[in-house]
Amino acid sequence: MVSSGWCFLAAMIVAYGVANLLQSVAAARTTVHHTFDPGLLLRLAGHRTYLVGLSCQIGGFVLAFVARRDLPLFLVQASVAAGLGVTAILGVLVLKWRLPVAEVALLALLFAGITALVLAARPAPSRQLGTAGSVALLVALGVIAVLGFFAVRLHGAPGSVALGSLAGLAFSSAAVAARPLASAPSAEAFLADPLLYLLIVHSIVGQLLLGLAMQRGSTTAAVAAMDAAGAVPAAIVGLLLLNDKIWPGREWLAAVGFLVTLASVIGLTRYAEPQHHHAKARRRDRAMVGVGQPG
């Protein structure tokens, strides 16, 4: 079971990386929304690219769900951030993105931090959250929705980072619900558990917030903000309440790995220039130069 958990984790990273890229392309082609309107998801669903990306994200979500059965949240949530590296690589190869040297260095640090966490994480089954935990997740959902209502009014990079951060909190709450839910003893218990429905609603809200964030800034900035905001709460809850474990003597490695991963992800939020928008601007500039030249 341990070996399969690592396989699920690796496949999850690739799935999330592809999903981020495809969804960002669709978001850039959709009219920017300035309200917390779920209709954005319906408009995005009109893009085949978005639907393929959403399928990849659902696949990544399922793989992460299975991985959380035994692997600690601090590892799984931090590994989601590694999908950002896959997104950047695909963006360079497929969409001809131009990544600054500093961003490449940060991505290298991100993978180094994830490697340290892999070496420190000790697989273990989860504890249950109980009624108080379910109520706390419900309250968190309301707070995230209210903050999203105001954050959607922000434009450009600040809006991208703010909305991405709120998306991260929503997905982090979904991850907290998923860890004990993955250990449900039967299908009946799984379907009757309130955590399942909290997981679904948090995921939908997070998906809407991420789509709004991708419209305002670069994919890297939106996803990096999401991962940075989502990693810390899930890690703390996992270690304190859900029986997440670290191999004895490797606590320092887990701390260093987590800090390096978090610092790398936060550093990536600096690069909040919209790649797709820049590509359009370059095409407009070339067209204007052509118009201005004598025939």
Side-chain angles (χ1 to χ4, degrees):
M1 186 63 188
V2 173
S3 60
S4 64
W6 303 120
C7 293
F8 289 133
L9 199 68
M12 176 203 74
I13 292 172
V14 175
Y16 273 127
V18 175
N20 291 334
L21 182 74
L22 295 176
Q23 290 182 33
S24 72
V25 172
R29 295 173 180 172
T30 305
T31 303
V32 176
H33 280 50
H34 301 292
T35 59
F36 193 61
D37 181 11
L40 172 63
L41 294 180
L42 296 177
R43 292 178 177 86
L44 287 172
H47 294 272
R48 185 180 301 175
T49 302
Y50 182 81
L51 292 177
V52 176
L54 182 61
S55 298
C56 291
Q57 182 163 349
I58 292 173
F61 177 83
V62 172
L63 291 165
F65 182 84
V66 177
R68 291 187 190 105
R69 179 180 177 89
D70 289 297
L71 298 180
L73 282 180
F74 69 81
L75 172 60
V76 178
Q77 294 310 106
S79 296
V80 171
L84 188 60
V86 176
T87 302
I89 293 170
L90 291 175
V92 170
L93 296 176
V94 178
L95 301 180
K96 308 303 179 185
W97 287 356
R98 296 179 180 178
L99 301 183
V101 175
E103 187 169 0
V104 174
L106 287 169
L107 288 171
L109 283 175
L110 174 62
F111 283 113
I114 296 297
T115 301
L117 290 174
V118 168
L119 294 174
R122 179 182 175 183
S126 173
R127 293 196 192 101
Q128 295 302 309
L129 270 178
T131 303
S134 298
V135 172
L137 288 175
L138 183 61
V139 172
L141 177 64
V143 172
I144 292 168
V146 170
L147 293 176
F149 178 81
F150 292 101
V152 78
R153 303 178 185 181
L154 298 174
H155 305 279
S160 179
V161 172
L163 290 164
S165 299
L166 289 173
L169 293 177
F171 287 130
S172 179
S173 299
V176 170
R179 174 89 160 106
L181 185 62
S183 300
S186 65
E188 291 78 8
F190 179 84
L191 293 173
D193 197 324
L195 291 176
L196 171 63
Y197 305 98
L198 286 168
L199 184 156
I200 293 172
V201 177
H202 271 288
S203 299
I204 292 173
V205 171
Q207 191 66 28
L208 173 59
L209 290 165
L210 180 58
L212 292 165
M214 285 179 170
Q215 288 189 322
R216 286 158 174 75
S218 76
T219 302
T220 302
V223 177
M226 176 186 72
D227 292 335
V232 176
I236 292 174
V237 172
L239 288 169
L240 293 180
L241 301 177
L242 298 179
N243 197 41
D244 286 1
K245 299 291 187 181
I246 300 171
W247 287 111
R250 298 184 187 178
E251 291 83 2
W252 67 272
L253 186 61
V256 170
F258 191 81
L259 290 175
V260 168
T261 300
L262 187 62
S264 302
V265 170
I266 293 174
L268 287 168
T269 63
R270 289 189 64 249
Y271 300 95
E273 301 300 325
Q275 289 106 331
H276 301 300
H277 297 176
H278 278 343
K280 294 177 183 177
R282 284 195 295 270
R283 288 195 294 269
R284 285 197 303 268
D285 291 343
R286 286 196 295 269
M288 292 177 66
V289 169
V291 171
Q293 291 175 344

